[in-house]
Amino acid sequence: MACALVAKHVEFNFVKKNYFNVRASSVIIFMVALMDDPTPIIYFLIEKSNLKGIKTYPAMSKRIDVLSLLYRCMNSGVSILPEFRKKVYRHIAESQFEISKIYRDAKTFPIAKLEDDGVSHTFFYIGKVRKTLGDALISYRKLANEILLSPNESYAETAIEVLDETKDFDRPTINFCVNGCLVVPLVGVIPEKVLSRLYNLRDSMSDESVFYKIAESTIEKVKKVYLE
């Protein structure tokens, strides 16, 4: 199907109609890999995964799903210029800070933890939890595990650059949550750098806190699975 769409030059129309359709994602990824210049489609996916100004969990969840699709497209052998590739990777990394802002505005704080089956997100909150939080966390976990299970060194290095450019948040707990969610999925490709940052995040917390214990658990998992 992907070959036929590309041959007929209707691939962009297909993407516009189906970028939210999970069943069409594999077709979109294959098309992008086949195209001589998929730049217009990549730009379109950047636009549709833009999280700036988003305030509700359902809208955020849909945009995160597009972000996951974009990451998968970038791992398909897509033919684009190096400068543009860097821009796309920065967008994926920076979008995760936008995700954290949306959660913070709702007084909800996801915490990334490395489990046997991948990255999970526990969370703490202040006040009431929105009923739509569950679906939003599923989309967030999908993105995190896409990054974990399809490691991309260029993306990982770009994400670290973005992280280093971002000032620490005014509260250590928020800094712990935001930084951890961005860095834990990178363990598949840069485990030593991830471990170093996890040590720093852990040591910024009281050793009696749940944050410290979650970081310690993830550190032990990294050492056992990725460094032994």
Side-chain angles (χ1 to χ4, degrees):
M1 183 178 181
C3 293
L5 291 167
V6 172
K8 293 177 182 177
H9 304 292
V10 294
E11 60 271 26
F12 203 173
N13 288 335
F14 181 85
V15 173
K16 288 179 179 177
K17 293 178 181 178
N18 292 282
Y19 67 96
F20 273 146
N21 183 352
V22 175
R23 291 178 294 180
S25 60
S26 59
V27 176
I28 293 172
I29 294 163
F30 192 20
M31 284 195 312
V32 167
L34 290 172
M35 294 174 67
D36 292 332
D37 182 16
T39 301
I41 289 178
I42 299 298
Y43 266 121
F44 177 80
L45 295 178
I46 290 174
E47 175 189 347
K48 295 303 178 182
S49 60
N50 185 356
L51 286 141
K52 291 182 179 178
I54 298 296
K55 297 184 180 299
T56 66
Y57 284 164
M60 180 180 73
S61 181
K62 288 183 177 180
R63 301 257 172 150
I64 295 175
D65 286 341
V66 181
L67 207 60
S68 293
L69 174 61
L70 177 59
Y71 183 84
R72 293 176 67 193
C73 285
M74 294 300 293
N75 273 356
S76 70
V78 60
S79 177
I80 57 176
L81 294 172
E83 297 83 1
F84 185 43
R85 187 180 300 275
K86 181 86 168 183
K87 179 178 179 178
V88 178
Y89 289 149
R90 288 190 67 89
H91 167 73
I92 295 172
E94 291 169 353
S95 292
Q96 292 173 71
F97 285 102
E98 295 298 325
I99 292 170
S100 72
K101 290 178 183 177
I102 298 166
Y103 278 121
R104 290 202 314 275
D105 288 345
K107 298 181 179 179
T108 302
F109 306 90
I111 307 170
K113 182 180 180 182
L114 191 60
E115 307 272 14
D116 289 337
D117 60 347
V119 180
S120 67
H121 295 96
T122 187
F123 63 94
F124 76 96
Y125 60 92
I126 301 171
K128 294 181 63 177
V129 174
R130 295 180 187 177
K131 293 180 180 180
T132 50
L133 174 62
D135 288 341
L137 286 173
I138 288 173
S139 293
Y140 200 13
R141 183 175 190 182
K142 178 182 175 182
L143 173 62
N145 284 287
E146 193 66 55
I147 295 169
L148 174 70
L149 299 175
S150 301
N152 182 312
E153 186 172 0
S154 295
Y155 166 72
E157 295 296 344
T158 301
I160 292 297
E161 287 179 15
V162 170
L163 194 58
D164 288 342
E165 293 168 4
T166 305
K167 294 181 179 179
D168 286 348
F169 297 92
D170 56 356
R171 290 171 57 188
T173 52
I174 297 176
N175 194 61
F176 179 98
C177 294
V178 175
N179 281 263
C181 285
L182 186 66
V183 77
V184 168
L186 307 178
V187 69
V189 65
I190 50 171
E192 293 87 356
K193 290 184 179 180
V194 169
L195 190 63
S196 174
R197 288 167 186 270
L198 287 174
Y199 278 131
N200 290 337
L201 291 174
R202 183 200 64 182
D203 293 343
S204 69
M205 298 287 105
S206 164
D207 58 9
E208 296 298 322
S209 70
V210 65
F211 302 98
Y212 187 99
K213 293 174 182 177
I214 289 174
E216 184 66 16
S217 172
T218 297
I219 286 168
E220 292 305 312
K221 187 70 68 176
V222 170
K223 291 193 291 187
K224 180 179 180 180
V225 176
Y226 294 94
L227 292 175
E228 286 187 355

